[in-house]
Amino acid sequence: MKTASPSALVPERDSAGHSAWLTISLCFIVAVLEGIDFQAPGIAAPGMAQAFAMDKLQMGWVLSAGILGLLPGALCGGWLADRIGRKWVLIGSVALFGIFSIATAHAWDLPSLLGARLLTGAGLGAALPNLIALCSEAAGERLRGIAVSMMYCGVPLGAAMAALVSIAGVSADWTLVYYVGGLLPLLVLPLLAIWLPESAVFLARRRERRSPAQQAPAVAVTQGLFKDGNAAPTLLLWLAYFFTLMVVYMLISWLPSLLVGQGFSHTQTGWVMFALQIGALVGTLMLGVLMNRLRPLAISALIYLGLLCALAGLGLAEAFASMLLAGFAAGLFATGGQGVLYALAPLFYRTEVRATGVGSAVAVGRLGAMSGPLVAGKMLALGTGAAGVMLASAPGLVAAGLAVYWLFHRRHQV
């Protein structure tokens, strides 16, 4: 039976404290900036389409380019972080999405706009697995889930701030949101370089690998995702990420259009989207606390039955007040449930493959993010209406709920 070396255990136990809170706070700031950038295309889309004389198909390509960039960004960001460290890969990622957010505002034609959005997405995608790895390793085993949830609630908070910009009508100049989304990350870079500590767990592992007594034959990091009993958790994480993010991005992409089609005004639509992001903020914190306190069946049922009920409400609600409530519930269970998945994934991987494992799950989730708007568009083309769009997501959510139940059940047995 193998025993862990002391240097592998001490950093996670001793990392709670000032250094841990500093890491979580700085990662939270980056998550807020990610939330602003995630919401920016929805705010800028009308003005951008007019400025470049784009039809709906071309606008769809522009919106999809940012999502497409998230996939290779997440894979490469996680892979690099397990080799050279989390801190500097995160700093490079923030610089990347900051620079190319500003470049989006300076695009001169459709190809340059697509390129800027693709590279912005790559930076956003590379940042997320590093944020998760840094927070989970700083907090240690006992507080890992709560720490990741606290960090990730910055994403819906940033998106809610962007939604308020839309409600206030400040988005007349579509480039403004991209200047804000680009300059703020660049201003944060010096703070990260000076104050953000590298993961103590990662540094300890790197020292071990350099020690002659600990040297072993090199093994591909990606093999660690499927060896030593990791194959089933990896595949189930991928399944849960895929279908949960499919619903999250289906809501972000199509809900405003569905609401307008149901007779709600643009201002009312903005408030529903704001309610969705506030629900996401509350859900990320609430479910992050409950994930370690409820039984596996209870937490998985709460998330996915709650999400199914919220989607039914969005498809059937007619009054504005009930739509606000349904939007809040959808954000609470969809984005809040995704926050639980972000906190769950690091628990199944060793330090040397943790960022790669999280990055692979995030990348597969982005495939779901890309398919969600397509599924919704197909259902609308078939004339199913809002209720049909919501119903189409039900089988995937049931599969995701079963996967999450199995993952939590396995963690409780360890």
Side-chain angles (χ1 to χ4, degrees), residues 226-250:
F226 297 99
K227 295 182 69 176
D228 302 324
N230 279 349
T234 293
L235 293 174
L236 288 172
L237 282 168
W238 288 1
L239 185 150
Y241 270 63
F242 181 92
F243 285 113
T244 308
L245 266 175
M246 182 183 79
V247 172
V248 170
Y249 275 80
M250 183 178 72

Side-chain angles (χ1 to χ4, degrees), residues 98-112:
I99 289 169
F100 282 98
S101 180
I102 296 174
T104 301
H106 287 273
W108 58 91
D109 58 10
L110 182 58
S112 64

Side-chain angles (χ1 to χ4, degrees), residues 272-296:
V272 173
M273 296 303 293
F274 178 71
L276 185 142
Q277 297 300 345
I278 294 300
L281 175 62
V282 173
T284 301
L285 289 173
M286 182 187 77
L287 295 174
V289 172
L290 292 177
M291 67 176 284
N292 292 323
R293 301 187 179 185
L294 297 180
R295 291 183 174 273

Side-chain angles (χ1 to χ4, degrees), residues 117-194:
R117 297 311 305 147
L118 184 70
L119 290 168
T120 302
L124 292 168
L128 189 53
N130 286 282
L131 292 173
I132 295 170
L134 279 165
C135 289
S136 65
E137 291 171 355
E141 184 72 27
R142 188 171 62 88
L143 300 175
R144 183 168 287 160
I146 296 175
V148 174
S149 297
M150 289 175 62
M151 175 277 297
Y152 187 69
C153 73
V155 174
L157 177 61
M161 292 166 60
L164 283 177
V165 172
S166 178
I167 293 171
V170 183
S171 54
D173 180 5
W174 70 271
T175 64
L176 178 62
V177 69
Y178 286 115
Y179 279 120
V180 172
L183 289 174
L184 289 180
L186 297 182
L187 291 174
V188 167
L189 286 178
L191 298 179
L192 299 177
I194 296 170

Side-chain angles (χ1 to χ4, degrees), residues 310-334:
L311 292 178
L314 289 174
L316 300 174
E318 296 181 357
F320 177 56
S322 57
M323 187 61 77
L324 277 175
L325 180 61
F328 178 86
L332 191 150
F333 293 112

